[in-house]
Amino acid sequence: MTEARTVHVQRIMPAGPEEVFDEWLDPESLREWMCPRPTRCVTVTVEPRVGGLFRFDVDDRGASVLITGQFVSIERPRLLRFTWTNSYWVDPTASSMVTVTFEPVRDDQTLMSIEHVMLPPEEYENFHDGWLKTADQLADRLNA
């Protein structure tokens, strides 16, 4: 059996931790930046509370993908932790865990760190590249 993999991505965001944190819980915002283009979130549902669920209905170049999860920890403005499942995975019942931290740096900037653990090994490259693009898209939105 192949070991699960972990993705680590960091990005300096052009806004304070509160603003960056809030982007992760706003369905309209998530529709704009969460999926790495050309993939796009068609609909987003978020229950922003511990135990609350989220759902992303995704159009991945014509293929429908369902991403779901549950919030495990919400500590505004420094930490989000949630489970993550993906209907496209070889085992669509497999669950992984995402932790996002937000640390203030310089004037009105945030070091955003994403750690995605327990990923199916065959998904490492897709998710490493995807989280990098997604972080860039969030930074672009915050710069707009």
Side-chain angles (χ1 to χ4, degrees):
M1 182 172 158
T2 307
E3 290 292 317
R5 302 279 308 267
T6 299
V7 166
H8 298 276
V9 168
Q10 290 189 316
R11 176 82 157 73
I12 299 289
M13 292 293 167
E18 292 83 1
E19 185 177 351
V20 180
F21 181 96
D22 290 347
E23 291 284 319
W24 283 81
L25 299 178
D26 179 341
E28 288 303 313
S29 173
L30 288 163
R31 279 188 63 238
E32 297 299 319
W33 64 266
M34 177 49 87
C35 295
R37 292 181 190 103
T39 301
R40 61 185 186 89
C41 291
V42 178
T43 58
V44 174
T45 305
V46 178
E47 298 172 349
R49 59 179 169 74
V50 172
L53 304 176
F54 69 84
R55 174 185 172 127
F56 304 140
D57 292 287
V58 176
D59 177 356
D60 187 2
R61 292 166 237 174
S64 294
V65 178
L66 176 62
I67 297 169
T68 59
Q70 184 172 29
F71 291 103
V72 175
S73 183
I74 299 176
E75 300 173 20
R76 186 179 191 270
R78 39 180 225 87
L79 173 77
L80 283 173
R81 182 172 292 124
F82 47 89
T83 62
W84 182 283
T85 62
N86 186 316
S87 67
Y88 186 73
W89 288 349
V90 172
D91 177 1
T93 65
S95 183
S96 59
M97 182 74 67
V98 178
T99 301
V100 187
T101 58
F102 309 87
E103 297 176 39
V105 292
R106 296 191 275 286
D107 290 334
D108 208 28
Q109 292 184 330
T110 301
L111 174 62
M112 182 180 75
S113 301
I114 302 169
E115 179 184 69
H116 196 154
V117 301
M118 303 183 318
L119 273 170
E122 65 276 5
E123 294 295 333
Y124 175 82
E125 290 299 325
N126 286 339
F127 275 79
H128 184 262
D129 294 345
W131 281 121
L132 285 171
K133 289 178 185 173
T134 296
D136 287 345
Q137 289 168 187
L138 175 55
D140 290 346
R141 177 178 168 83
L142 292 166
N143 268 327

